[in-house]
Amino acid sequence: MVTTTLRKFVYPCWKPSIENEGENSSTRGGDPDGRVDGLWWYKDSGHHVNGEFSMAVIQANSVLEDQCQLESGPLSLVDTGPQGTFVGVYDGHAGPEAARFINDRLFENLKKFTSEDQGMSADVISKAYLATEEEFLSLVRKQWLIKPHIASVGSCCLVGIICNGMLYIANAGDSRAVLGREEGDLKEVKAIQLSSEHNANLESVREELRSLHPDDPQVVVLKHKVWRVKGIIQVSRSIGDAYLKRAEFNREPLLPKFRTPGTFEKPILLAEPSVLVHRLLPSDQFLIFASDGLWEHLSNQEAIDIVNSCPHHGIARKLVKAALQEAAKKREMRYSDLKKIDRGVRRHFHDDITVIVLFLDSHLISRSSFHGPVISIKGGGHPGDSNI
Protein backbone atom coordinates (compact mmCIF):
# COMPACT_ATOMS: atom_id res chain seq x y z
CA MET A 1 0.00 0.00 0.00
CA VAL A 2 1.49 3.33 -1.06
CA THR A 3 0.86 6.04 1.53
CA THR A 4 -0.48 9.47 0.55
CA THR A 5 2.80 11.09 1.60
CA LEU A 6 4.83 8.73 -0.54
CA ARG A 7 2.52 8.74 -3.57
CA LYS A 8 3.50 12.27 -4.60
CA PHE A 9 7.16 11.17 -4.71
CA VAL A 10 6.80 7.67 -6.13
CA TYR A 11 4.29 8.13 -8.93
CA PRO A 12 6.58 10.42 -10.96
CA CYS A 13 9.14 7.59 -10.90
CA TRP A 14 6.91 5.60 -13.22
CA LYS A 15 7.23 8.21 -15.95
CA PRO A 16 9.69 7.34 -18.72
CA SER A 17 12.15 10.16 -18.00
CA ILE A 18 13.39 12.48 -15.29
CA GLU A 19 11.47 15.72 -15.59
CA ASN A 20 12.89 19.22 -15.08
CA GLU A 21 15.53 18.19 -12.57
CA GLY A 22 18.56 19.26 -14.53
CA GLU A 23 16.82 21.31 -17.17
CA ASN A 24 19.11 20.14 -19.97
CA SER A 25 19.74 16.67 -18.58
CA SER A 26 21.71 14.29 -20.73
CA THR A 27 20.81 10.89 -22.06
CA ARG A 28 22.12 7.77 -20.37
CA GLY A 29 25.89 7.72 -20.03
CA GLY A 30 26.46 11.46 -20.04
CA ASP A 31 29.67 13.03 -18.81
CA PRO A 32 31.93 10.50 -17.05
CA ASP A 33 32.89 13.19 -14.53
CA GLY A 34 29.34 14.40 -13.97
CA ARG A 35 27.46 17.30 -15.49
CA VAL A 36 26.89 20.91 -14.45
CA ASP A 37 23.50 22.39 -15.35
CA GLY A 38 22.63 25.72 -13.77
CA LEU A 39 22.57 25.19 -10.00
CA TRP A 40 22.84 21.41 -10.43
CA TRP A 41 25.79 19.07 -10.54
CA TYR A 42 24.94 15.41 -11.12
CA LYS A 43 26.16 12.02 -12.25
CA ASP A 44 22.98 10.07 -12.90
CA SER A 45 24.48 6.59 -12.96
CA GLY A 46 27.68 4.63 -12.93
CA HIS A 47 29.22 1.44 -11.61
CA HIS A 48 31.44 1.12 -8.55
CA VAL A 49 33.27 -2.00 -7.39
CA ASN A 50 30.25 -3.20 -5.43
CA GLY A 51 27.30 -2.15 -7.61
CA GLU A 52 25.73 0.95 -9.15
CA PHE A 53 25.67 4.56 -7.93
CA SER A 54 23.98 7.91 -8.51
CA MET A 55 25.08 11.38 -7.32
CA ALA A 56 23.56 14.87 -7.26
CA VAL A 57 24.21 18.31 -5.78
CA ILE A 58 21.95 21.40 -5.83
CA GLN A 59 23.31 24.82 -4.90
CA ALA A 60 21.44 27.25 -2.65
CA ASN A 61 24.21 29.45 -1.21
CA SER A 62 25.89 32.27 -3.13
CA VAL A 63 28.96 30.03 -3.27
CA LEU A 64 28.42 26.28 -3.19
CA GLU A 65 29.57 25.00 0.21
CA ASP A 66 28.84 21.28 -0.35
CA GLN A 67 31.41 18.97 -1.96
CA CYS A 68 31.40 15.22 -2.49
CA GLN A 69 33.38 12.39 -4.03
CA LEU A 70 33.24 8.75 -5.03
CA GLU A 71 36.39 6.64 -5.39
CA SER A 72 36.24 3.01 -6.49
CA GLY A 73 39.25 0.73 -6.81
CA PRO A 74 42.46 0.80 -4.72
CA LEU A 75 42.04 2.01 -1.13
CA SER A 76 45.77 2.11 -0.40
CA LEU A 77 49.04 3.12 -2.04
CA VAL A 78 50.30 -0.45 -2.57
CA ASP A 79 49.28 -2.82 -5.37
CA THR A 80 48.51 -5.64 -2.94
CA GLY A 81 46.35 -3.42 -0.72
CA PRO A 82 42.57 -3.62 -0.30
CA GLN A 83 40.11 -2.63 -3.02
CA GLY A 84 36.68 -1.15 -2.53
CA THR A 85 34.43 1.89 -2.69
CA PHE A 86 34.84 5.19 -0.84
CA VAL A 87 32.22 7.95 -0.72
CA GLY A 88 32.42 11.30 1.01
CA VAL A 89 29.85 14.05 1.63
CA TYR A 90 31.36 17.31 2.87
CA ASP A 91 28.88 19.97 4.03
CA GLY A 92 30.79 23.23 4.47
CA HIS A 93 29.77 26.23 6.54
CA ALA A 94 30.94 29.87 6.66
CA GLY A 95 32.58 29.28 3.28
CA PRO A 96 33.60 26.53 0.83
CA GLU A 97 37.30 26.26 1.65
CA ALA A 98 37.21 23.44 4.21
CA ALA A 99 34.88 21.24 2.14
CA ARG A 100 37.05 21.72 -0.96
CA PHE A 101 40.18 20.95 1.07
CA ILE A 102 38.67 17.71 2.41
CA ASN A 103 37.65 16.74 -1.13
CA ASP A 104 41.30 17.03 -2.15
CA ARG A 105 43.03 15.53 0.89
CA LEU A 106 40.93 13.09 2.94
CA PHE A 107 40.98 10.14 0.54
CA GLU A 108 44.71 10.59 -0.07
CA ASN A 109 45.32 10.49 3.69
CA LEU A 110 43.12 7.41 4.00
CA LYS A 111 45.18 5.57 1.35
CA LYS A 112 48.38 6.48 3.18
CA PHE A 113 47.20 5.12 6.54
CA THR A 114 45.63 2.03 4.93
CA SER A 115 49.06 1.28 3.43
CA GLU A 116 50.88 1.87 6.72
CA ASP A 117 48.45 -0.30 8.72
CA GLN A 118 48.22 -2.89 5.92
CA GLY A 119 44.44 -2.87 5.95
CA MET A 120 41.23 -0.92 6.51
CA SER A 121 39.96 -0.24 10.03
CA ALA A 122 38.09 2.29 12.12
CA ASP A 123 41.46 3.47 13.45
CA VAL A 124 42.76 4.09 9.92
CA ILE A 125 39.70 6.23 9.13
CA SER A 126 40.06 8.27 12.33
CA LYS A 127 43.73 8.86 11.55
CA ALA A 128 42.80 10.11 8.09
CA TYR A 129 40.27 12.56 9.55
CA LEU A 130 42.73 13.90 12.12
CA ALA A 131 45.54 14.21 9.57
CA THR A 132 43.25 16.16 7.24
CA GLU A 133 42.25 18.38 10.17
CA GLU A 134 45.90 19.11 11.02
CA GLU A 135 46.67 19.94 7.39
CA PHE A 136 43.76 22.36 7.21
CA LEU A 137 44.68 24.04 10.51
CA SER A 138 48.21 24.49 9.15
CA LEU A 139 46.73 26.18 6.09
CA VAL A 140 44.67 28.46 8.37
CA ARG A 141 47.80 29.42 10.29
CA LYS A 142 49.65 30.30 7.07
CA GLN A 143 46.77 32.43 5.77
CA TRP A 144 45.65 33.87 9.10
CA LEU A 145 46.96 37.41 8.67
CA ILE A 146 45.94 37.85 5.03
CA LYS A 147 42.68 35.86 5.18
CA PRO A 148 41.48 35.68 8.81
CA HIS A 149 38.00 34.55 7.73
CA ILE A 150 39.41 31.11 6.95
CA ALA A 151 39.64 30.48 10.71
CA SER A 152 35.82 30.46 10.84
CA VAL A 153 35.37 28.07 7.90
CA GLY A 154 34.60 24.41 8.59
CA SER A 155 32.86 21.36 7.19
CA CYS A 156 30.87 18.36 8.32
CA CYS A 157 32.42 15.17 7.01
CA LEU A 158 30.51 11.94 6.26
CA VAL A 159 32.37 8.96 4.80
CA GLY A 160 31.31 5.48 3.73
CA ILE A 161 33.76 2.72 2.78
CA ILE A 162 32.99 -0.77 1.47
CA CYS A 163 35.99 -3.07 1.79
CA ASN A 164 36.26 -6.88 2.03
CA GLY A 165 32.54 -7.28 2.71
CA MET A 166 32.59 -4.72 5.50
CA LEU A 167 30.91 -1.32 5.59
CA TYR A 168 32.56 1.51 7.50
CA ILE A 169 30.53 4.66 8.24
CA ALA A 170 32.40 7.63 9.71
CA ASN A 171 30.81 10.95 10.57
CA ALA A 172 31.74 14.30 12.08
CA GLY A 173 28.80 16.69 11.98
CA ASP A 174 25.15 16.29 11.02
CA SER A 175 25.15 14.70 7.58
CA ARG A 176 23.56 11.25 7.54
CA ALA A 177 23.97 7.76 6.11
CA VAL A 178 20.87 5.53 5.87
CA LEU A 179 20.73 1.87 4.84
CA GLY A 180 17.83 0.28 3.00
CA ARG A 181 17.43 -3.36 4.14
CA GLU A 182 14.88 -5.99 3.14
CA GLU A 183 13.03 -7.33 6.17
CA GLY A 184 10.19 -9.76 6.82
CA ASP A 185 8.28 -12.17 4.60
CA LEU A 186 7.04 -9.31 2.43
CA LYS A 187 10.62 -8.14 1.90
CA GLU A 188 9.75 -4.57 2.79
CA VAL A 189 12.77 -2.27 2.63
CA LYS A 190 13.25 -0.57 5.98
CA ALA A 191 15.39 2.47 6.78
CA ILE A 192 18.27 1.97 9.19
CA GLN A 193 20.26 5.06 10.16
CA LEU A 194 23.94 4.17 10.41
CA SER A 195 25.61 7.47 11.24
CA SER A 196 25.84 9.18 14.61
CA GLU A 197 25.08 12.90 14.36
CA HIS A 198 26.80 15.68 16.24
CA ASN A 199 24.30 18.52 16.53
CA ALA A 200 23.69 20.50 19.71
CA ASN A 201 19.92 20.12 19.26
CA LEU A 202 20.38 16.50 20.39
CA GLU A 203 20.37 16.06 24.18
CA SER A 204 23.13 13.43 24.02
CA VAL A 205 25.40 15.89 22.19
CA ARG A 206 24.77 18.62 24.76
CA GLU A 207 25.58 16.16 27.54
CA GLU A 208 28.82 15.20 25.78
CA LEU A 209 29.84 18.85 25.42
CA ARG A 210 29.08 19.61 29.07
CA SER A 211 31.04 16.57 30.25
CA LEU A 212 34.04 17.56 28.10
CA HIS A 213 33.88 21.18 29.29
CA PRO A 214 32.63 21.04 32.92
CA ASP A 215 34.07 24.48 33.75
CA ASP A 216 32.23 26.25 30.91
CA PRO A 217 28.52 26.81 31.67
CA GLN A 218 28.16 28.54 28.26
CA VAL A 219 29.53 25.68 26.17
CA VAL A 220 25.99 25.18 24.79
CA VAL A 221 23.46 28.01 24.67
CA LEU A 222 19.80 28.09 23.63
CA LYS A 223 19.54 30.96 21.16
CA HIS A 224 16.32 31.76 19.24
CA LYS A 225 14.98 28.29 20.17
CA VAL A 226 18.07 26.57 18.69
CA TRP A 227 20.86 25.01 20.75
CA ARG A 228 24.31 26.17 19.61
CA VAL A 229 27.86 25.48 20.72
CA LYS A 230 29.07 28.71 22.37
CA GLY A 231 25.92 30.29 20.98
CA ILE A 232 27.45 30.24 17.48
CA ILE A 233 27.36 26.86 15.69
CA GLN A 234 25.06 23.84 15.83
CA VAL A 235 27.53 21.05 15.06
CA SER A 236 29.89 19.79 17.76
CA ARG A 237 32.31 17.96 15.44
CA SER A 238 33.81 19.14 12.18
CA ILE A 239 36.99 19.58 10.20
CA GLY A 240 38.13 23.20 10.33
CA ASP A 241 36.42 25.82 12.53
CA ALA A 242 39.90 26.72 13.79
CA TYR A 243 38.51 29.50 15.98
CA LEU A 244 36.83 26.86 18.18
CA LYS A 245 39.78 24.44 18.05
CA ARG A 246 42.79 26.69 18.78
CA ALA A 247 42.65 29.72 21.09
CA GLU A 248 45.27 31.48 18.94
CA PHE A 249 42.53 32.13 16.34
CA ASN A 250 39.93 33.38 18.83
CA ARG A 251 40.98 37.03 18.48
CA GLU A 252 41.36 39.88 16.03
CA PRO A 253 41.46 40.12 13.06
CA LEU A 254 38.70 37.47 13.11
CA LEU A 255 35.24 39.06 12.94
CA PRO A 256 33.67 39.67 16.40
CA LYS A 257 30.67 37.41 15.64
CA PHE A 258 33.00 34.38 15.61
CA ARG A 259 34.98 35.27 18.72
CA THR A 260 34.05 33.77 22.08
CA PRO A 261 34.61 35.50 25.44
CA GLY A 262 37.74 34.50 27.31
CA THR A 263 40.07 31.74 26.18
CA PHE A 264 40.13 27.94 26.20
CA GLU A 265 42.83 25.30 26.63
CA LYS A 266 41.34 22.35 24.76
CA PRO A 267 39.33 22.33 21.53
CA ILE A 268 35.64 23.11 21.94
CA LEU A 269 34.77 21.22 18.74
CA LEU A 270 36.26 17.83 17.85
CA ALA A 271 37.41 16.50 14.48
CA GLU A 272 37.43 12.82 15.47
CA PRO A 273 34.56 10.96 13.78
CA SER A 274 32.09 8.48 15.18
CA VAL A 275 32.76 5.23 13.30
CA LEU A 276 30.40 2.29 12.77
CA VAL A 277 31.61 -1.03 11.33
CA HIS A 278 29.01 -3.38 9.82
CA ARG A 279 29.35 -6.67 7.93
CA LEU A 280 27.15 -6.31 4.85
CA LEU A 281 24.29 -8.80 4.50
CA PRO A 282 22.55 -10.05 1.34
CA SER A 283 19.44 -8.19 2.57
CA ASP A 284 21.31 -4.85 2.52
CA GLN A 285 20.03 -3.25 -0.70
CA PHE A 286 21.40 0.29 -0.92
CA LEU A 287 22.84 3.22 1.01
CA ILE A 288 21.90 6.90 0.95
CA PHE A 289 24.56 9.43 1.98
CA ALA A 290 23.34 13.02 2.19
CA SER A 291 24.01 16.40 3.75
CA ASP A 292 21.46 17.63 6.27
CA GLY A 293 19.80 19.72 3.55
CA LEU A 294 18.03 16.52 2.39
CA TRP A 295 17.06 15.26 5.85
CA GLU A 296 15.57 18.64 6.76
CA HIS A 297 12.75 17.83 4.32
CA LEU A 298 12.61 14.01 4.07
CA SER A 299 12.47 11.36 6.76
CA ASN A 300 14.77 8.34 6.58
CA GLN A 301 11.94 6.05 5.50
CA GLU A 302 10.57 8.49 2.92
CA ALA A 303 14.00 8.64 1.27
CA ILE A 304 14.36 4.84 1.36
CA ASP A 305 10.87 4.38 -0.15
CA ILE A 306 11.67 6.73 -3.03
CA VAL A 307 14.90 4.88 -3.88
CA ASN A 308 13.22 1.49 -3.56
CA SER A 309 10.32 2.50 -5.84
CA CYS A 310 12.18 4.27 -8.66
CA PRO A 311 14.66 3.36 -11.43
CA HIS A 312 18.32 3.53 -10.42
CA HIS A 313 19.20 6.02 -13.17
CA GLY A 314 18.94 9.58 -11.82
CA ILE A 315 17.74 8.50 -8.38
CA ALA A 316 20.00 10.96 -6.52
CA ARG A 317 18.40 13.84 -8.45
CA LYS A 318 14.99 12.34 -7.73
CA LEU A 319 15.71 12.51 -3.99
CA VAL A 320 16.92 16.10 -4.20
CA LYS A 321 13.83 17.07 -6.20
CA ALA A 322 11.55 15.45 -3.58
CA ALA A 323 13.28 17.56 -0.90
CA LEU A 324 12.89 20.72 -2.99
CA GLN A 325 9.20 20.00 -3.51
CA GLU A 326 8.78 19.72 0.26
CA ALA A 327 10.75 22.95 0.78
CA ALA A 328 8.41 24.74 -1.65
CA LYS A 329 5.34 23.26 0.01
CA LYS A 330 6.48 24.50 3.44
CA ARG A 331 6.64 28.03 2.02
CA GLU A 332 3.25 27.61 0.31
CA MET A 333 4.72 28.02 -3.15
CA ARG A 334 4.96 25.91 -6.29
CA TYR A 335 8.09 23.94 -7.08
CA SER A 336 8.12 25.59 -10.51
CA ASP A 337 8.44 28.99 -8.78
CA LEU A 338 11.17 27.77 -6.42
CA LYS A 339 13.23 26.70 -9.44
CA LYS A 340 13.30 30.31 -10.66
CA ILE A 341 14.97 31.61 -7.49
CA ASP A 342 18.69 32.21 -7.88
CA ARG A 343 21.51 31.08 -5.60
CA GLY A 344 22.00 33.19 -2.50
CA VAL A 345 18.30 34.04 -2.20
CA ARG A 346 17.61 30.29 -2.46
CA ARG A 347 19.29 29.77 0.92
CA HIS A 348 16.18 31.27 2.54
CA PHE A 349 14.20 28.29 1.18
CA HIS A 350 16.64 25.36 1.39
CA ASP A 351 20.29 24.54 1.99
CA ASP A 352 22.84 23.21 -0.48
CA ILE A 353 21.88 19.52 -0.84
CA THR A 354 24.21 16.64 -1.70
CA VAL A 355 23.06 13.05 -2.23
CA ILE A 356 24.99 9.89 -3.11
CA VAL A 357 23.12 6.59 -3.52
CA LEU A 358 25.13 3.37 -3.53
CA PHE A 359 23.36 0.22 -4.68
CA LEU A 360 24.82 -2.97 -3.19
CA ASP A 361 25.35 -6.09 -5.29
CA SER A 362 25.94 -8.95 -2.83
CA HIS A 363 27.66 -11.04 -5.53
CA LEU A 364 30.19 -8.29 -6.20
CA ILE A 365 30.66 -7.57 -2.48
CA SER A 366 31.48 -11.24 -1.78
CA ARG A 367 34.34 -11.21 -4.30
CA SER A 368 37.75 -10.64 -2.75
CA SER A 369 39.46 -9.40 -5.93
CA PHE A 370 38.90 -6.19 -7.86
CA HIS A 371 36.98 -6.29 -11.13
CA GLY A 372 36.28 -3.16 -13.15
CA PRO A 373 37.75 0.24 -13.92
CA VAL A 374 39.13 2.62 -11.31
CA ILE A 375 36.64 5.46 -10.75
CA SER A 376 37.32 8.88 -9.23
CA ILE A 377 34.54 11.49 -9.29
CA LYS A 378 34.45 14.76 -7.36
CA GLY A 379 31.07 16.44 -7.30
CA GLY A 380 29.93 19.98 -6.76
CA GLY A 381 31.94 21.72 -9.45
CA HIS A 382 35.29 23.43 -8.97
CA PRO A 383 36.41 26.80 -7.61
CA GLY A 384 36.02 29.32 -10.39
CA ASP A 385 33.15 27.58 -12.17
CA SER A 386 30.95 30.49 -13.21
CA ASN A 387 27.73 28.50 -13.34
CA ILE A 388 27.99 26.53 -10.12
Side-chain angles (χ1 to χ4, degrees):
M1 179 70 69
V2 179
T3 66
T4 303
T5 304
L6 181 58
R7 188 176 291 116
K8 62 189 173 187
F9 297 137
V10 173
Y11 282 2
C13 299
W14 297 333
K15 295 179 181 179
S17 63
I18 295 173
E19 175 187 14
N20 295 329
E21 295 182 54
E23 301 305 326
N24 304 307
S25 66
S26 61
T27 56
R28 289 179 183 270
D31 189 332
D33 296 319
R35 180 176 290 263
V36 174
D37 182 8
L39 298 180
W40 288 87
W41 175 93
Y42 56 89
K43 169 72 174 169
D44 275 340
S45 64
H47 288 84
H48 63 106
V49 176
N50 301 289
E52 296 177 74
F53 70 87
S54 181
M55 305 169 70
V57 180
I58 187 75
Q59 180 177 354
N61 288 289
S62 298
V63 178
L64 180 68
E65 294 181 339
D66 275 16
Q67 298 285 303
C68 63
Q69 71 185 120
L70 182 145
E71 311 284 342
S72 191
L75 297 176
S76 78
L77 299 174
V78 296
D79 293 338
T80 56
Q83 310 277 343
T85 302
F86 171 101
V87 298
V89 171
Y90 316 125
D91 180 1
H93 45 259
E97 293 90 346
R100 290 173 178 170
F101 188 89
I102 298 166
N103 217 8
D104 286 336
R105 294 298 308 149
L106 180 61
F107 183 62
E108 298 306 313
N109 283 324
L110 179 89
K111 288 196 293 185
K112 180 182 76 170
F113 289 113
T114 304
S115 302
E116 290 178 3
D117 285 31
Q118 299 182 335
M120 184 60 62
S121 67
D123 187 51
V124 161
I125 299 168
S126 293
K127 286 179 182 177
Y129 269 66
L130 296 177
T132 306
E133 161 90 342
E134 287 304 313
E135 290 174 353
F136 187 72
L137 294 184
S138 295
L139 176 67
V140 172
R141 190 171 291 109
K142 289 175 185 175
Q143 297 189 357
W144 167 244
L145 292 178
I146 59 170
K147 191 180 178 182
H149 173 68
I150 198 171
S152 65
V153 175
S155 180
C156 299
C157 186
L158 171 65
V159 162
I161 300 168
I162 300 172
C163 180
N164 295 327
M166 303 298 291
L167 171 65
Y168 301 82
I169 299 290
N171 193 42
D174 58 5
S175 296
R176 188 182 301 173
V178 178
L179 169 69
R181 175 185 289 166
E182 279 189 352
E183 291 185 353
D185 295 337
L186 298 177
K187 295 194 177 295
E188 294 180 62
V189 178
K190 299 294 187 182
I192 301 172
Q193 184 171 324
L194 300 179
S195 55
S196 299
E197 292 176 25
H198 310 108
N199 188 303
N201 279 318
L202 299 172
E203 176 63 32
S204 60
V205 172
R206 297 198 295 275
E207 289 176 359
E208 179 184 59
L209 285 163
R210 289 169 182 143
S211 67
L212 290 172
H213 307 277
D215 300 325
D216 185 357
Q218 300 297 308
V219 68
V220 282
V221 177
L222 186 61
K223 199 170 182 179
H224 306 303
K225 298 182 180 180
V226 177
W227 286 99
R228 296 181 183 274
V229 182
K230 301 300 289 183
I232 301 172
I233 190 170
Q234 285 185 259
V235 294
S236 65
R237 300 196 191 193
S238 68
I239 289 178
D241 295 303
Y243 72 111
L244 291 173
K245 305 277 183 65
R246 305 282 171 84
E248 64 187 281
F249 302 118
N250 182 34
R251 59 183 176 86
E252 292 183 337
L254 188 67
L255 291 173
K257 68 178 180 178
F258 292 111
R259 301 203 298 266
T260 63
T263 187
F264 51 89
E265 293 185 2
K266 60 181 180 179
I268 297 170
L269 302 190
L270 300 177
E272 187 169 352
S274 297
V275 183
L276 174 141
V277 184
H278 163 70
R279 179 169 292 283
L280 287 167
L281 306 171
S283 55
D284 295 338
Q285 301 296 299
F286 54 85
L287 294 154
I288 303 172
F289 299 85
S291 56
D292 71 319
L294 181 82
W295 308 113
E296 181 182 353
H297 301 292
L298 296 181
S299 70
N300 292 351
Q301 191 62 51
E302 281 176 335
I304 290 297
D305 288 343
I306 292 168
V307 175
N308 188 48
S309 304
C310 296
H312 291 187
H313 182 84
I315 192 59
R317 276 198 289 151
K318 181 64 68 177
L319 280 171
V320 175
K321 182 180 176 182
L324 297 180
Q325 288 172 325
E326 282 299 291
K329 181 180 175 182
K330 288 175 184 176
R331 300 297 290 269
E332 298 183 339
M333 64 190 301
R334 294 176 299 182
Y335 172 61
S336 58
D337 291 329
L338 176 64
K339 290 195 299 179
K340 299 172 186 174
I341 300 173
D342 202 0
R343 56 189 170 185
V345 179
R346 270 236 193 176
R347 185 61 184 88
H348 297 291
F349 298 84
H350 65 86
D351 199 354
D352 295 338
I353 302 175
T354 295
V355 175
I356 301 177
V357 180
L358 283 188
F359 293 97
L360 305 172
D361 185 323
S362 59
H363 299 293
L364 294 176
I365 290 169
S366 64
R367 292 179 182 173
S368 58
S369 58
F370 171 62
H371 298 273
V374 175
I375 297 170
S376 179
I377 299 175
K378 292 186 177 179
H382 303 282
D385 280 352
S386 60
N387 57 350
I388 193 86

